[in-house]
Amino acid sequence: MFVFSLVFFFSIIFSQDDLSNWGAITSYLTPTGMALNSNGITYASTEGGLLQYDKVNDEFTFIGLDEGLVYLDLSSIALDSKERIWLGGNKPRGCLQVYDPEFGLVEFFEDALIDSIGKIVIDDDMALIIYKGKTLGDFGILKFNLKQDGLPEYKDYFNNFSDDPITQINDVDVSSDSIYVTTDKGLFSGNKEDNLKFSSNWHNSSGQTLENLSLKHFIFGETSYLFSNGSIHVRTDNVWSDYCSSFSGNVLQVEKDDQKIGILTDEYFHEYIDCQVSSYQIPFGSQVNTWNSNNLDFKTYFTSFLMVDNDEVIFGIKDHGISFWSQFDDSHDLKTPNTPIKNVYNAIVMTESGALAGTSHFGTMYKHGDNFFNFVPDVYEKYYNTESSSFNLTSLNYTPGDLPHVPITIMEKNNGNLFFCNSGVLPGSAAILELNLIDDQLIKYDDEVIDGWDGIYQLGTNSHYMLVNQIEKDDFGNMWVVNPFCEKQGHLLAVQSSNDDMWSHVLVPDDKSYLPQTIALETIGAQQRIWLGFSYG
């Protein structure tokens, strides 16, 4: 997963004490699954590690590499009988980690052929885990026996459920004598005592009635239920039939608590009680992406939920954290951790004060001590919690550059301002940004400073589209900006003076040098020698 590798490169620079001691700075904003222990502590697996929230003390705890975890991009979570936390790894490292809040990491399992891990089910004497393999079409179930201390010991895997190829496993459940696997080709059941390596020992329990449906979740019981997108099916006398009314949305998660059935989709939570349904739309962020020039998945949606006994529902929400919803008064208590917004930063810098700053297409992060400050383009502001006292987010008035162009350099000027590029913009959208951290004021430098397209490499294209590569600061505090495709005026370097912030330019030496890529500065006495690397063209 390329994005996450950037985060680890980003973090080792910041927190490495020696060559074997790794740390990480990651985003805990988006839960991928949740669990609640007997003391009322909420745990959430996230894309950046394990998030712990103590509601009584209103306190977040971040559990990551420093606390013993090996891999932080987590996809699933479950609690065992000793309230240890089982964590599934997202691609490309589908590992299983068992974390004890008192003793740290107590078990770790990994196989090079496993790409990611899904739902985890822990029974009295076994654990079953959905996995996706590295090879195309490899979906299956891992079986672990539980040792005397309740920790897992790998036993077997099952991936041969049907002669009809399965392209998705969505759920796994267990009863006293059977294992149930919910797939896009039906619900398959197998007896625990049989050899489940063979498809002949798996039986399609959904029957012909539901054969054309991609099934999402199964609830086993005296009355059993199957769920597909938009519909519920109930089994009576071994015959499946439609149950209650249909609902809206793609199923993410289903839970049953006594007479209540909760169905979570990305935008709605549907609750059924004796076939009476109540539907609640996500109350946070933006459900419609009104600015999507880069086809980004920028939409606020539910990710997971827990039904609590006292008519409380706990939701995981993309880019927002955890929400506690009271059904008594329909109130939401949203808790957003103090964390970076994303797990991707394309450029970083350490400031003179010892703070860390990083920037990307999605915004800029500034970490000073234990506090994070996020600065995002105003087009993205609506997708975050802007009212939290613990989550620091400031909206900046600029349009981020077109992907795949990303800001690859951020520097600190002598005056303490952050100075970074915003490559891939047209005139009117600044290509260089300067952020004053004292008053959060943004200074923008547009086509009066940065050169752009003028029909040389893209014939007939005179849009002045601006690209910026590396930025470097010399020993005197001057800022040197490398400006490829400098076709209109031939300004291959833009230079800002540290004395008065005025700009000057270095011209191309010939009609072939319009693609500067990188810069190195050499100090010779009171002079600077500039080295430039060019792309052939």
Side-chain angles (χ1 to χ4, degrees):
M1 185 175 180
F2 179 67
V3 167
F4 210 72
S5 69
L6 290 175
V7 179
F8 277 93
F9 179 72
F10 168 89
S11 62
I12 188 173
I13 293 178
F14 178 71
S15 57
Q16 177 176 306
D17 296 323
D18 58 58
L19 291 179
S20 61
N21 185 14
W22 289 74
I25 295 172
T26 55
S27 174
Y28 290 80
L29 277 187
T30 300
T32 57
M34 292 192 299
L36 186 70
N37 74 6
S38 59
N39 295 320
I41 302 297
T42 303
Y43 291 97
S45 54
T46 77
E47 298 169 339
L50 177 61
L51 181 64
Q52 173 184 308
Y53 179 70
D54 182 343
K55 190 176 182 182
V56 174
N57 297 308
D58 190 21
E59 183 177 63
F60 279 108
T61 301
F62 305 127
I63 300 169
L65 298 181
D66 291 339
E67 291 69 37
L69 294 186
V70 176
Y71 185 61
L72 301 184
D73 192 353
L74 307 177
S75 57
S76 58
I77 184 171
L79 293 185
D80 65 17
S81 60
K82 298 181 183 295
E83 298 202 325
R84 294 173 295 211
I85 304 155
W86 294 45
L87 301 167
N90 207 347
K91 64 178 183 181
R93 195 171 181 184
C95 56
L96 171 67
Q97 301 174 88
V98 181
Y99 180 82
D100 189 309
E102 183 177 356
F103 300 105
L105 187 69
V106 292
E107 193 68 55
F108 179 81
F109 169 82
E110 184 173 29
D111 189 290
L113 299 179
I114 297 176
D115 195 44
S116 63
I117 280 180
K119 183 178 178 180
I120 301 169
V121 174
I122 304 171
D123 196 25
D124 294 335
D125 58 356
M126 72 167 68
L128 300 171
I129 298 175
I130 297 174
Y131 79 87
K132 180 181 180 299
K134 298 284 187 182
T135 59
L136 184 64
D138 183 14
F139 299 91
I141 303 296
L142 300 175
K143 179 184 175 182
F144 293 83
N145 288 341
L146 299 185
K147 296 181 288 187
Q148 188 173 1
D149 57 5
L151 292 175
E153 180 179 48
Y154 174 71
K155 181 65 176 178
D156 208 346
Y157 73 96
F158 315 124
N159 63 359
N160 191 13
F161 307 103
S162 168
D163 294 334
D164 191 10
I166 290 171
T167 59
Q168 189 66 51
I169 295 178
N170 297 310
D171 197 9
V172 60
D173 299 271
V174 61
S175 68
S176 59
D177 59 0
S178 298
I179 296 171
Y180 297 89
V181 181
T182 307
T183 78
D184 60 330
K185 298 298 170 57
L187 172 69
F188 295 92
S189 61
N191 191 289
K192 288 180 178 179
E193 302 302 320
D194 290 340
N195 186 345
L196 297 180
K197 301 288 284 186
F198 301 104
S199 62
S200 58
N201 287 328
W202 289 95
H203 310 285
N204 191 333
S205 298
S206 51
Q208 295 181 347
T209 306
L210 307 179
E211 65 180 354
N212 294 322
L213 294 176
S214 178
L215 301 176
K216 300 298 183 181
H217 285 271
F218 174 63
I219 293 178
F220 173 82
E222 186 174 334
T223 302
S224 296
Y225 302 87
L226 267 173
F227 302 82
S228 56
N229 288 338
S231 58
I232 309 173
H233 317 278
V234 62
R235 184 166 59 189
T236 306
D237 297 328
N238 289 323
V239 176
W240 291 100
S241 60
D242 291 343
Y243 176 77
C244 303
S245 60
S246 60
F247 59 89
S248 174
N250 298 323
V251 178
L252 300 178
Q253 182 184 344
V254 175
E255 300 293 339
K256 189 173 186 296
D257 181 20
D258 197 17
Q259 299 303 311
K260 294 182 180 180
I261 296 176
I263 304 172
L264 190 72
T265 70
D266 53 1
E267 290 185 25
Y268 290 91
F269 175 67
H270 306 284
E271 185 178 79
Y272 284 81
I273 304 176
D274 294 331
C275 249
Q276 299 298 311
V277 62
S278 301
S279 298
Y280 307 91
Q281 189 171 20
I282 184 170
F284 305 109
S286 176
Q287 283 74 59
V288 179
N289 190 355
T290 57
W291 189 85
N292 196 21
S293 64
N294 295 298
N295 296 316
L296 297 171
D297 180 20
F298 252 96
K299 173 183 171 182
T300 307
Y301 53 79
F302 290 122
T303 63
S304 50
F305 80 102
L306 293 170
M307 291 194 296
V308 186
D309 291 340
N310 58 353
D311 286 329
E312 183 179 64
V313 182
I314 308 174
F315 292 109
I317 302 176
K318 180 179 180 289
D319 293 326
H320 277 68
I322 301 171
S323 174
F324 295 83
W325 174 47
S326 171
Q327 294 179 292
F328 290 116
D329 57 9
D330 196 30
S331 63
H332 285 269
D333 188 11
L334 179 62
K335 299 299 180 181
T336 305
N338 178 25
T339 175
I341 57 170
K342 294 291 181 184
N343 275 338
V344 51
Y345 291 95
N346 306 99
I348 59 173
V349 67
M350 295 296 300
T351 70
E352 290 293 328
S353 66
L356 174 68
T359 192
S360 74
H361 168 90
F362 304 101
T364 297
M365 179 273 292
Y366 181 77
K367 182 183 185 297
H368 194 274
D370 292 329
N371 292 317
F372 292 95
F373 300 88
N374 296 290
F375 301 90
V376 302
D378 51 9
V379 293
Y380 291 153
E381 177 187 13
K382 61 180 175 286
Y383 301 104
Y384 297 99
N385 179 14
T386 58
E387 299 179 358
S388 171
S389 59
S390 61
F391 177 64
N392 302 309
L393 185 135
T394 300
S395 173
L396 299 179
N397 181 24
Y398 77 96
T399 300
D402 295 330
L403 293 175
H405 306 296
V406 293
I408 63 172
T409 307
I410 183 171
M411 303 293 293
E412 182 188 29
K413 291 180 60 174
N414 284 358
N415 61 7
N417 291 353
L418 296 179
F419 193 87
F420 50 99
C421 52
N422 184 40
S423 190
V425 294
L426 291 168
S429 300
I432 297 290
L433 302 170
E434 181 176 342
L435 176 61
N436 187 324
L437 293 169
I438 296 175
D439 57 12
D440 296 339
Q441 293 300 306
L442 188 68
I443 304 170
K444 298 186 281 189
Y445 302 104
D446 206 335
D447 57 332
E448 76 282 358
V449 171
I450 301 301
D451 206 347
W453 288 2
D454 197 47
I456 295 178
Y457 288 91
Q458 297 285 336
L459 296 178
T461 302
N462 307 95
S463 62
H464 208 99
Y465 189 73
M466 294 173 286
L467 298 171
V468 176
N469 279 1
Q470 188 180 353
I471 302 173
E472 191 62 83
K473 182 172 73 170
D474 66 24
D475 292 342
F476 308 104
N478 304 309
M479 308 303 294
W480 297 75
V481 180
V482 180
N483 187 183
F485 295 96
C486 49
E487 302 172 20
K488 188 170 185 178
Q489 301 177 76
H491 292 164
L492 59 81
L493 290 175
V495 188
Q496 188 187 50
S497 170
S498 62
N499 295 325
D500 53 14
D501 286 345
M502 296 299 292
W503 288 89
S504 58
H505 295 87
V506 175
L507 294 174
V508 293
D510 51 45
D511 61 356
K512 299 180 179 63
S513 303
Y514 291 101
L515 296 178
Q517 301 297 309
T518 187
I519 186 173
L521 308 178
E522 180 183 10
T523 302
I524 305 175
Q527 302 294 320
Q528 293 283 335
R529 175 177 289 169
I530 312 302
W531 296 82
L532 284 172
F534 287 81
S535 174
Y536 179 76

mmCIF file of all heavy atoms in Angstrom, residues 385-399:
data_model
loop_
_atom_site.group_PDB
_atom_site.id
_atom_site.type_symbol
_atom_site.label_atom_id
_atom_site.label_comp_id
_atom_site.label_asym_id
_atom_site.label_seq_id
_atom_site.Cartn_x
_atom_site.Cartn_y
_atom_site.Cartn_z
ATOM 1 N N ASN A 385 -14.818 17.587 11.258
ATOM 2 C CA ASN A 385 -15.458 18.159 12.434
ATOM 3 C C ASN A 385 -14.762 19.465 12.795
ATOM 4 O O ASN A 385 -13.642 19.462 13.310
ATOM 5 C CB ASN A 385 -15.378 17.169 13.600
ATOM 6 C CG ASN A 385 -15.996 17.719 14.866
ATOM 7 O OD1 ASN A 385 -16.720 18.718 14.842
ATOM 8 N ND2 ASN A 385 -15.738 17.057 15.981
ATOM 9 N N THR A 386 -15.405 20.577 12.551
ATOM 10 C CA THR A 386 -14.805 21.890 12.798
ATOM 11 C C THR A 386 -15.207 22.472 14.147
ATOM 12 O O THR A 386 -14.805 23.583 14.482
ATOM 13 C CB THR A 386 -15.216 22.878 11.696
ATOM 14 O OG1 THR A 386 -16.653 22.969 11.654
ATOM 15 C CG2 THR A 386 -14.710 22.421 10.343
ATOM 16 N N GLU A 387 -15.988 21.728 14.929
ATOM 17 C CA GLU A 387 -16.484 22.258 16.200
ATOM 18 C C GLU A 387 -15.872 21.564 17.415
ATOM 19 O O GLU A 387 -16.258 21.841 18.544
ATOM 20 C CB GLU A 387 -18.014 22.126 16.248
ATOM 21 C CG GLU A 387 -18.718 22.898 15.134
ATOM 22 C CD GLU A 387 -20.218 22.728 15.176
ATOM 23 O OE1 GLU A 387 -20.700 21.979 16.052
ATOM 24 O OE2 GLU A 387 -20.908 23.334 14.343
ATOM 25 N N SER A 388 -14.937 20.668 17.205
ATOM 26 C CA SER A 388 -14.341 19.927 18.307
ATOM 27 C C SER A 388 -13.288 20.776 19.016
ATOM 28 O O SER A 388 -12.499 21.487 18.374
ATOM 29 C CB SER A 388 -13.702 18.637 17.795
ATOM 30 O OG SER A 388 -12.958 18.008 18.808
ATOM 31 N N SER A 389 -13.257 20.674 20.342
ATOM 32 C CA SER A 389 -12.242 21.389 21.118
ATOM 33 C C SER A 389 -10.906 20.651 21.105
ATOM 34 O O SER A 389 -9.866 21.238 21.401
ATOM 35 C CB SER A 389 -12.718 21.565 22.561
ATOM 36 O OG SER A 389 -12.968 20.297 23.158
ATOM 37 N N SER A 390 -10.934 19.365 20.765
ATOM 38 C CA SER A 390 -9.698 18.576 20.779
ATOM 39 C C SER A 390 -9.077 18.423 19.397
ATOM 40 O O SER A 390 -7.880 18.185 19.275
ATOM 41 C CB SER A 390 -9.981 17.183 21.362
ATOM 42 O OG SER A 390 -10.939 16.491 20.567
ATOM 43 N N PHE A 391 -9.885 18.531 18.349
ATOM 44 C CA PHE A 391 -9.394 18.357 16.981
ATOM 45 C C PHE A 391 -9.193 19.731 16.355
ATOM 46 O O PHE A 391 -10.128 20.522 16.239
ATOM 47 C CB PHE A 391 -10.405 17.532 16.178
ATOM 48 C CG PHE A 391 -10.041 17.359 14.728
ATOM 49 C CD1 PHE A 391 -8.905 16.659 14.356
ATOM 50 C CD2 PHE A 391 -10.847 17.893 13.737
ATOM 51 C CE1 PHE A 391 -8.572 16.490 13.027
ATOM 52 C CE2 PHE A 391 -10.528 17.725 12.403
ATOM 53 C CZ PHE A 391 -9.386 17.025 12.045
ATOM 54 N N ASN A 392 -7.946 20.022 15.981
ATOM 55 C CA ASN A 392 -7.598 21.359 15.492
ATOM 56 C C ASN A 392 -7.579 21.381 13.973
ATOM 57 O O ASN A 392 -6.721 20.748 13.350
ATOM 58 C CB ASN A 392 -6.223 21.779 16.035
ATOM 59 C CG ASN A 392 -6.185 21.781 17.547
ATOM 60 O OD1 ASN A 392 -7.053 22.366 18.197
ATOM 61 N ND2 ASN A 392 -5.186 21.119 18.118
ATOM 62 N N LEU A 393 -8.517 22.122 13.374
ATOM 63 C CA LEU A 393 -8.584 22.219 11.924
ATOM 64 C C LEU A 393 -8.876 23.650 11.509
ATOM 65 O O LEU A 393 -9.787 24.294 12.042
ATOM 66 C CB LEU A 393 -9.655 21.275 11.364
ATOM 67 C CG LEU A 393 -9.720 21.207 9.826
ATOM 68 C CD1 LEU A 393 -9.841 19.764 9.358
ATOM 69 C CD2 LEU A 393 -10.883 22.026 9.292
ATOM 70 N N THR A 394 -8.083 24.155 10.574
ATOM 71 C CA THR A 394 -8.254 25.504 10.033
ATOM 72 C C THR A 394 -8.421 25.408 8.527
ATOM 73 O O THR A 394 -7.663 24.703 7.851
ATOM 74 C CB THR A 394 -7.036 26.387 10.363
ATOM 75 O OG1 THR A 394 -6.901 26.475 11.786
ATOM 76 C CG2 THR A 394 -7.208 27.782 9.788
ATOM 77 N N SER A 395 -9.409 26.109 8.001
ATOM 78 C CA SER A 395 -9.661 26.134 6.562
ATOM 79 C C SER A 395 -8.842 27.243 5.914
ATOM 80 O O SER A 395 -8.794 28.373 6.419
ATOM 81 C CB SER A 395 -11.154 26.360 6.311
ATOM 82 O OG SER A 395 -11.411 26.537 4.946
ATOM 83 N N LEU A 396 -8.199 26.922 4.796
ATOM 84 C CA LEU A 396 -7.413 27.901 4.050
ATOM 85 C C LEU A 396 -8.034 28.114 2.672
ATOM 86 O O LEU A 396 -8.472 27.161 2.028
ATOM 87 C CB LEU A 396 -5.966 27.419 3.888
ATOM 88 C CG LEU A 396 -5.178 27.187 5.178
ATOM 89 C CD1 LEU A 396 -3.767 26.695 4.858
ATOM 90 C CD2 LEU A 396 -5.110 28.452 6.032
ATOM 91 N N ASN A 397 -8.034 29.343 2.247
ATOM 92 C CA ASN A 397 -8.684 29.713 0.987
ATOM 93 C C ASN A 397 -7.755 29.478 -0.198
ATOM 94 O O ASN A 397 -7.067 30.379 -0.675
ATOM 95 C CB ASN A 397 -9.129 31.173 1.040
ATOM 96 C CG ASN A 397 -9.834 31.610 -0.242
ATOM 97 O OD1 ASN A 397 -10.380 30.772 -0.955
ATOM 98 N ND2 ASN A 397 -9.797 32.892 -0.528
ATOM 99 N N TYR A 398 -7.706 28.215 -0.655
ATOM 100 C CA TYR A 398 -6.984 27.901 -1.887
ATOM 101 C C TYR A 398 -7.519 26.600 -2.459
ATOM 102 O O TYR A 398 -8.145 25.802 -1.758
ATOM 103 C CB TYR A 398 -5.471 27.808 -1.638
ATOM 104 C CG TYR A 398 -4.979 26.537 -0.989
ATOM 105 C CD1 TYR A 398 -4.489 25.478 -1.747
ATOM 106 C CD2 TYR A 398 -4.981 26.407 0.404
ATOM 107 C CE1 TYR A 398 -4.013 24.319 -1.147
ATOM 108 C CE2 TYR A 398 -4.517 25.260 1.008
ATOM 109 C CZ TYR A 398 -4.033 24.217 0.234
ATOM 110 O OH TYR A 398 -3.580 23.073 0.831
ATOM 111 N N THR A 399 -7.287 26.402 -3.742
ATOM 112 C CA THR A 399 -7.694 25.179 -4.422
ATOM 113 C C THR A 399 -6.475 24.280 -4.592
ATOM 114 O O THR A 399 -5.468 24.713 -5.159
ATOM 115 C CB THR A 399 -8.298 25.486 -5.797
ATOM 116 O OG1 THR A 399 -9.446 26.330 -5.624
ATOM 117 C CG2 THR A 399 -8.710 24.208 -6.506
#
